[in-house]
Amino acid sequence: MAATEYREEQMTGRITGLGSYLPEKLLTNDDLSGIVETSDEWIMERTGIKTRHIADHMKEVPSYMGGIAAQRALEDAGVSASEIDLIVTACSTPDKMFPSMACYVQKAIGNDGCMCFDVSSACPGWLVAFNTAQCFMESGNIRKALVVGTECLSNYVDWTDRGTCILFGDGAGAAVIEADETMPANKFIMHATSNKAECLTCESRMQPDRWEEEGFLKNTYFQMDGRDVFRFAVTEVPKIIKELSAKYEFDLNDVDYFILHQANARIIETIAKRLGQDIEKFPMTVYDTGNISTASIPNLLDRMKKEGKLKKGQKIVMSSFGAGLTWAANYIEY
Ligand code: UT7
């Protein structure tokens, strides 16, 4: 098990492989209208979500789904598991507190010895994992990395709360990134503010001394002020994308795609309008996946690749937002 060779020259990673996993079981808006007082019309109008994939909770746990997405990304890249130097996984709903989800992904792909760890940053977690892997790569310490996002959000949904249960789904997405001397440096911005932390929270259930505390168990499911999160997203995402274009001196009109966190079609449409960009540049999967948190961006990229929409050299902005509050944006060359 040799340590990866250290290289003096700075190299940035290019995405060379993509993979995803979505559970077979679908939950439609009509199904939801049998659970809470809602309707297909209301959900479609306010969110653009029609269906979401729901995991078989005994089998399709985040470590399992992440492992399959990673295997598919390796196959797509034509890279063998033993070539991977680093696995970074983003997951807000892990099935084990430890070992990390990354260690389970390592086991699933059949690697032994590479660096493995998770990052925690809610929905922007996959971008945080991507940027972490890029920093390892640009320091000359790794050449090939797997960046994974995997979630079983349906375990944390309060199925009596119509304000949240309509939004979330389960799934995983992964990318292989490989050091490439022709790549420009990784360009990113990440922000957080804890001033509005309470508008999107989920308490850890494993605090038995608090189980009798009034309202505690309810708080171990997603608690969200939807309007606050909506306002935050449509204000801060356009701002961070403009900040990114100013920092790295590129023109938003030259961007081929804006790959945004798939939380709500209305949020994406508002952001497109505020950036003065054609909605055609904002591909979406939210219609049939719902919000799958850290898995949403790699899942969307994988689908675009399968549909033949991704071409080497395309200029892509990726941006995500979520609990913390945290938000991030990247400008990459595909
Ligand atoms: O990864 C980030 C995660 N979070 C998000 O992205 C959430 C961002 N926020 C949103 O997507 C939207 O705020 C929601 C879709 C959650 C809600 O849409 P909204 O337009 O902000 O609705 P609202 O919360 O202002 O509620 C309007 C009305 C309320 O009724 P009253 O008080 O006006 O009588 C709600 O009780 O709609 C009612 N309502 C519903 N009605 C039918 C709330 N949820 C539902 C529902 N079906 N599912």
Side-chain angles (χ1 to χ4, degrees), residues 38 42 46-47 123 162 224 226-227 229 261 263-264 266 291:
T38 190
W42 194 95
R46 306 284 178 124
T47 72
C123 298
R162 66 179 181 172
M224 183 178 74
R227 283 184 201 188
V229 178
H261 173 42
N264 179 326
R266 231 169 16 113
N291 181 344

Side-chain angles (χ1 to χ4, degrees), residues 129-202:
F130 180 85
N131 292 327
T132 305
Q134 290 286 26
C135 291
F136 274 66
M137 208 161 276
E138 292 184 338
S139 72
N141 283 291
I142 64 161
R143 314 285 293 167
K144 294 182 188 183
L146 255 174
V147 185
V148 184
T150 182
E151 301 290 356
C152 188
L153 299 155
S154 61
N155 269 332
Y156 292 82
V157 161
D158 175 353
W159 293 103
T160 65
D161 176 9
R162 66 179 181 172
T164 53
C165 74
I166 57 159
L167 299 173
F168 299 99
D170 303 327
V176 172
I177 60 173
E178 296 186 60
D180 181 336
E181 64 275 8
T182 67
M183 277 293 276
N186 187 40
K187 300 177 169 69
F188 70 101
I189 299 175
M190 288 166 23
H191 286 308
T193 175
S194 34
N195 292 337
K196 281 259 176 194
E198 71 291 344
C199 75
L200 185 47
T201 60
C202 184

Side-chain angles (χ1 to χ4, degrees), residues 52-169:
R52 56 298 278 146
H53 295 257
I54 301 293
D56 167 347
H57 295 140
M58 298 303 284
K59 182 182 159 206
E60 291 167 312
V61 292
S63 52
Y64 171 86
M65 294 191 283
I68 295 183
Q71 280 166 350
R72 290 176 178 167
L74 284 176
E75 268 165 45
D76 185 47
V79 166
S80 70
S82 60
E83 293 174 70
I84 294 295
D85 307 309
L86 168 68
I87 302 170
V88 194
T89 300
C91 180
S92 303
T93 55
D95 44 293
K96 320 264 190 298
M97 296 304 290
F98 54 84
S100 66
M101 293 292 102
C103 285
Y104 284 94
V105 169
Q106 182 195 39
K107 193 173 184 183
I109 64 169
N111 174 291
D112 189 28
C114 76
M115 289 183 260
C116 291
F117 58 87
D118 292 356
V119 296
S120 170
S121 190
C123 298
W126 188 82
L127 286 184
V128 174
F130 180 85
N131 292 327
T132 305
Q134 290 286 26
C135 291
F136 274 66
M137 208 161 276
E138 292 184 338
S139 72
N141 283 291
I142 64 161
R143 314 285 293 167
K144 294 182 188 183
L146 255 174
V147 185
V148 184
T150 182
E151 301 290 356
C152 188
L153 299 155
S154 61
N155 269 332
Y156 292 82
V157 161
D158 175 353
W159 293 103
T160 65
D161 176 9
R162 66 179 181 172
T164 53
C165 74
I166 57 159
L167 299 173
F168 299 99

Side-chain angles (χ1 to χ4, degrees), residues 200-264:
L200 185 47
T201 60
C202 184
E203 284 269 3
S204 164
R205 202 182 188 89
M206 269 301 154
Q207 305 179 69
D209 289 353
R210 297 184 63 192
W211 285 350
E212 301 298 319
E213 193 180 302
E214 202 190 331
F216 176 76
L217 289 178
K218 187 171 156 28
N219 292 338
T220 63
Y221 297 98
F222 295 136
Q223 299 299 316
M224 183 178 74
D225 182 327
R227 283 184 201 188
D228 266 2
V229 178
F230 193 101
R231 250 191 310 269
F232 150 68
V234 299
T235 307
E236 295 303 336
V237 173
K239 258 208 240 165
I240 197 174
I241 292 176
K242 285 180 188 163
E243 188 188 348
L244 190 75
S245 82
K247 179 176 177 183
Y248 295 109
E249 298 177 339
F250 68 93
D251 188 336
L252 291 180
N253 295 321
D254 295 335
V255 171
D256 294 291
Y257 290 117
F258 294 84
I259 308 291
L260 302 192
H261 173 42
Q262 301 292 297
N264 179 326

